């Protein structure tokens, strides 16, 4: 496994592998890796191609007052996890390498970026879309493997790839969870043991929403949301729900009558657990007749 820090070197490596007919499978991350990230690397490995993982805490996707400075970092540990997962190259640039020439260009995927997370994190998805567009041009991957944990990010990137004709296929992998249902996240390291235990309730309320829609055919999204909020208060009163929304999984439009909706439904939430902000979601196919 090689660690690459320069953009031009990564591009040469990718050109070389492409010239020999190899496929390139890419896993973009911000590091502090866990089993969720490893599952993406295994998915990348399954393509049979060269596996590139990037580790880059991208400053432009953090807002003022967010956790950019304290975001956990441990490159040696990350490198070990990558090596065990069969990664061939880690692309690990400095911010000065990625943003060397006072950039004047950014990528904004309108509408989708302003919903859900976008309301709480203005500018976040422009930071994400721009850095991923740059990474695609640097790593030149055939496939890019991402987790459904970040459903809105996936919706934004899918639209960007389609609108800008990037020749990269997005492969979405399932969210890997702790035993109590808490979605694995680098930010879970901010939680105390008690908070970690309590945060398992977030998955409970997502499942409860899904159950009401698929089994009870709930016709009023507002009632499903209210029930989820009540259940969370009952289970884990210390957790503050910021949003719990029922939308389609493409343009993230609200679904007022989910029980009658045919297609893929996304229930997504954000919650504050002490000072830590967590996001999670559940995605399922709904068939009103099924
Ligand atoms: P991050 O390092 O948090 O920016 O995440 C990098 C990639 O890992 C994104 O595609 C995430 O969706 C994915 N990811 C993060 N947590 C999980 C998880 N628990 N299960 C699966 N994928 C995840």
């Amino acid at each position: 496994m090689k660690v690459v820090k320069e953009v031009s070197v990564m591009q040469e490596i990718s050109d070389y592998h492409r010239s020999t007919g190899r496929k390139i499978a890419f896993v973009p991350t911000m590091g502090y890796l866990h089993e969720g990230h490893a599952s993406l690397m295994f998915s990348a490995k399954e393509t049979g191609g060269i596996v590139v993982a990037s580790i880059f805490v991208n400053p432009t996707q953090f807002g003022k007052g967010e956790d950019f400075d304290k975001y956990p970092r441990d490159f040696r540990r990350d490198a070990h996890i990558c090596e065990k997962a069969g990664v061939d190259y880690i692309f690990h640039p400095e911010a000065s390498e990625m943003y060397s020439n006072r950039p004047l260009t950014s990528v904004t995927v309108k509408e989708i970026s302003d919903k859900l997370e976008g309301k709480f994190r203005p500018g976040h998805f422009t930071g994400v879309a721009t850095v991923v567009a740059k990474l695609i041009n640097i790593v030149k991957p055939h496939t890019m493997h991402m987790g459904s944990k970040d459903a809105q990010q996936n919706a934004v990137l899918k639209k960007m790839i389609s609108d800008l004709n990037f020749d990269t296929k997005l492969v979405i992998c399932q969210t890997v969870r702790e035993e109590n249902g808490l979605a694995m996240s680098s930010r879970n390291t901010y939680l105390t043991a008690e908070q970690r235990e309590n945060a398992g309730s977030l998955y409970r309320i997502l499942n409860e929403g899904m159950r009401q829609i698929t089994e009870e055919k709930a016709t009023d999204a507002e009632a499903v949301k209210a029930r989820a909020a009540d259940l969370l208060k009952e289970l884990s009163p210390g957790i503050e729900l910021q949003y719990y929304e029922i939308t389609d999984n493409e343009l993230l439009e609200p679904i007022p009558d989910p029980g009658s909706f045919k297609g893929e439904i996304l229930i997504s939430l954000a919650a504050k657990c002490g000072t830590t902000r967590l996001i999670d979601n559940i995605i399922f196919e709904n068939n009103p007749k099924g």
Side-chain angles (χ1 to χ4, degrees):
M1 186 181 73
K2 285 210 174 83
V3 179
V4 180
K5 295 188 79 77
E6 292 87 19
V7 168
S8 59
V9 174
M10 190 68 242
Q11 284 172 322
E12 275 166 26
I13 289 169
S14 294
D15 283 342
Y16 166 74
H17 287 298
R18 275 183 166 258
S19 75
T20 63
R22 293 298 300 270
K23 299 281 188 219
I24 300 175
F26 177 42
V27 180
T29 83
M30 298 207 300
Y32 213 72
L33 304 177
H34 49 67
E35 284 172 46
H37 297 113
S39 75
L40 307 182
M41 292 165 190
F42 295 137
S43 159
K45 199 80 196 158
E46 271 175 18
T47 63
I50 296 288
V51 178
V52 181
S54 64
I55 296 180
F56 179 57
V57 185
N58 173 38
T60 69
Q61 70 190 67
F62 287 79
K64 273 202 187 103
E66 290 188 354
D67 56 345
F68 174 69
D69 287 329
K70 72 165 188 170
Y71 196 86
R73 295 160 168 93
D74 187 343
F75 183 74
R76 276 176 58 140
R77 181 173 158 276
D78 286 348
H80 184 67
I81 291 172
C82 287
E83 183 128 50
K84 272 206 327 207
V87 168
D88 298 293
Y89 298 92
I90 301 180
F91 180 54
H92 181 48
E94 297 292 335
S96 54
E97 172 74 6
M98 286 294 278
Y99 299 106
S100 59
N101 53 349
R102 197 172 76 87
L104 299 176
T105 308
S106 61
V107 180
T108 297
V109 178
K110 285 183 272 191
E111 297 176 30
I112 304 175
S113 298
D114 300 330
K115 296 169 177 163
L116 306 171
E117 281 299 282
K119 289 195 180 142
F120 291 84
R121 307 187 70 189
H124 169 67
F125 288 113
T126 292
V128 169
T130 305
V131 79
V132 173
K134 285 164 70 70
L135 287 168
I136 289 176
N137 284 331
I138 295 165
V139 175
K140 311 184 187 198
H142 295 84
T143 54
M144 184 163 70
H145 302 253
M146 309 202 75
S148 43
K149 158 102 189 330
D150 296 274
Q152 187 171 8
Q153 175 169 286
N154 294 337
V156 165
L157 295 176
K158 208 168 162 190
K159 192 77 178 93
M160 176 190 84
I161 285 171
S162 151
D163 287 353
L164 299 183
N165 305 98
F166 280 106
D167 196 8
T168 298
K169 184 171 160 261
L170 199 57
V171 180
I172 309 287
C173 304
Q174 272 190 5
T175 301
V176 178
R177 299 178 180 280
E178 306 279 357
E179 230 167 78
N180 71 349
L182 172 64
M184 289 194 181
S185 163
S186 309
R187 288 189 169 99
N188 290 352
T189 178
Y190 301 148
L191 301 173
T192 64
E194 193 189 344
Q195 287 173 330
R196 230 173 229 253
E197 205 39 60
N198 282 330
S201 309
L202 295 174
Y203 192 45
R204 287 273 305 274
I205 68 169
L206 290 169
N207 273 295
E208 173 56 19
M210 178 174 75
R211 192 192 64 75
Q212 286 186 58
I213 295 166
T214 54
E215 291 178 24
E216 291 178 9
K217 309 290 175 205
T219 51
D220 180 3
E222 291 309 315
V224 176
K225 287 156 69 170
R227 166 78 190 124
D230 286 348
L231 182 60
L232 184 66
K233 269 199 197 113
E234 210 176 294
L235 295 170
S236 303
I239 300 183
E240 178 207 332
L241 203 55
Q242 288 190 326
Y243 66 81
Y244 180 99
E245 296 293 343
I246 303 167
T247 65
D248 70 81
N249 191 27
E250 200 180 336
L251 297 177
L252 315 185
E253 304 279 6
I255 304 175
D257 175 1
S260 319
F261 182 87
K262 189 167 171 21
E264 207 167 55
I265 294 184
L266 164 71
I267 307 182
S268 52
L269 63 77
K272 285 289 274 284
C273 196
T275 54
T276 305
R277 191 168 181 280
L278 300 173
I279 60 167
D280 200 354
N281 68 72
I282 196 165
I283 298 166
F284 54 95
E285 192 64 31
N286 191 52
N287 184 354
K289 296 203 182 97

